[in-house]
Amino acid sequence: MKLPVTVIWGQADRAFRPSLGRRLHGAFADADLIEVPGARTLLALDAPDELTDAIVAIAQR
């Protein structure tokens, strides 16, 4: 069974760079990538509204 994958990735992290998020996204067939500008590793702290919006959008699919 193939389950949907969504990668939500902060764009301002210096260790986990945006290119790593794109690479992870590319590792899954038919995955979605949501890039969050200004967020770092802890999206829940850096961009809680954007993270919540993304989770709600995923749940409504």
Side-chain angles (χ1 to χ4, degrees):
M1 174 178 9
K2 191 169 151 182
L3 298 174
V5 173
T6 301
V7 176
I8 306 171
W9 204 267
Q11 297 299 292
D13 198 295
R14 288 182 277 159
F16 296 101
R17 299 181 189 269
S19 60
L20 289 174
R22 291 185 204 106
R23 185 174 169 191
L24 179 62
H25 168 252
F28 296 95
D30 299 322
D32 292 321
L33 174 63
I34 299 172
E35 297 179 322
V36 182
R40 293 174 288 204
T41 304
L42 298 175
L43 288 166
L45 294 177
D46 293 337
D49 293 334
E50 291 87 342
L51 180 60
T52 302
D53 292 344
I55 292 170
V56 168
I58 292 165
Q60 292 176 342
R61 291 182 191 164

